Amino acid sequence: MMHLAESLNFCGRKVVAAWASVPFPALPGCSLADTLCAYQQDVPWKLLSSWREQKVTCCFAQSVVLRGIGRESSSQQPAKQPQSALHSCGRSEQVLQHYLHSMFPGAFSTAHVLQQPCSTLPPYPQFFSPLLTREGFLQDRPPSHPPAAVESVPVLAALQSSPVLQGLLRSLHRDLQKLNVRRWFSFFSAGVEQDNFQEALEELRTLSQCYETELGADESEDEADSD
């Protein structure tokens, strides 16, 4: 994980944000292109951090892995006019890669698609919606009979070097600045020096600036004024 995070970072950046979609919102019988076409305005995965929910409009680099979606090929489909640019792609990796480039133009993106879904057999908790099939795909309406236990789900996970991290790191820096470490003797008994703590705070502030964009700079000024 550390090496993957390093490969996604440059220009002084060191951390990445984790995103996931559990389950990935796919309909039975629909291709990956069909599913992604429904998410042209916002990506179908959520930030796993406790930072406030945000719509991500750009990122610097990302690695995305999708499990449980078939590796369909355009050669297996009947010859007809493609419904969209996504439908004109061949393998699922190409569909996902094209989607990432359209949603995050200019970002370095890697995409991997694995056929095997994530198993949700016991002792995995059954907290899923009744709209899910046994294979973890979404239905339009719940079944008339009691739903069967979900045995597996398609899952998407992503690591992103993104401007979202600027706000998260700035928030962490502000919270740490409020601490009076002189009152926490365990810090100093563990060998932490006041100067070292202040140096770490400054490094955290500098790190947050590495994720700044022009839009982020304007928002930072607004936050400073409100403070």
Side-chain angles (χ1 to χ4, degrees):
M1 185 71 74
M2 179 182 67
H3 294 309
L4 179 56
E6 288 179 353
S7 68
L8 295 175
N9 281 308
F10 42 86
C11 298
R13 306 180 188 110
K14 296 181 180 179
V15 297
V16 292
W19 306 73
S21 181
V22 183
F24 182 72
L27 300 174
C30 289
S31 67
L32 177 58
D34 293 332
T35 302
L36 293 177
C37 277
Y39 294 92
Q40 296 292 324
Q41 302 301 319
D42 197 8
V43 293
W45 54 86
K46 301 294 183 182
L47 182 64
L48 297 183
S49 166
S50 59
W51 182 240
R52 64 176 182 265
E53 187 67 25
Q54 289 189 350
K55 180 178 179 179
V56 179
T57 57
C58 69
C59 74
F60 308 115
Q62 61 186 336
S63 176
V64 181
V65 177
L66 176 61
R67 295 183 56 175
I69 299 296
R71 292 170 171 264
E72 70 273 10
S73 173
S74 58
S75 61
Q76 299 171 347
Q77 304 296 330
K80 59 181 181 180
Q81 186 69 22
Q83 302 175 30
S84 68
L86 290 177
H87 288 86
S88 65
C89 298
R91 298 176 65 83
S92 296
E93 287 92 345
Q94 296 173 319
V95 176
L96 183 56
Q97 190 78 45
H98 189 285
Y99 177 76
L100 294 174
H101 282 311
S102 63
M103 296 298 291
F104 305 99
F108 169 76
S109 301
T110 63
H112 301 279
V113 178
L114 309 176
Q115 277 189 293
Q116 184 178 7
C118 287
S119 175
T120 56
L121 294 173
Y124 199 97
Q126 289 294 314
F127 49 62
F128 299 106
S129 164
L131 292 176
L132 287 186
T133 67
R134 181 178 298 179
E135 295 78 21
F137 293 98
L138 287 172
Q139 305 176 96
D140 293 332
R141 59 180 65 87
S144 56
H145 52 81
V150 179
E151 297 180 354
S152 63
V153 291
V155 171
L156 183 144
L159 292 179
Q160 277 190 350
S161 177
S162 165
V164 166
L165 288 161
Q166 183 199 6
L168 190 150
L169 294 171
R170 282 174 56 87
S171 177
L172 178 60
H173 179 260
R174 284 196 300 267
D175 291 342
L176 290 174
Q177 271 189 316
K178 297 175 183 178
L179 288 178
N180 183 2
V181 291
R182 298 181 184 280
R183 299 177 56 187
W184 301 88
F185 300 105
S186 57
F187 275 92
F188 301 105
S189 62
V192 178
E193 299 290 341
Q194 178 70 27
D195 291 343
N196 294 338
F197 180 76
Q198 294 301 325
E199 182 179 350
L201 273 181
E202 182 60 26
E203 290 178 354
L204 183 60
R205 186 186 68 82
T206 302
L207 180 60
S208 71
Q209 294 174 341
C210 294
Y211 294 88
E212 188 174 284
T213 61
E214 292 183 4
L215 178 59
D218 296 337
E219 292 175 350
S220 298
E221 292 176 2
D222 294 339
E223 288 183 13
D225 293 339
S226 63
D227 292 343

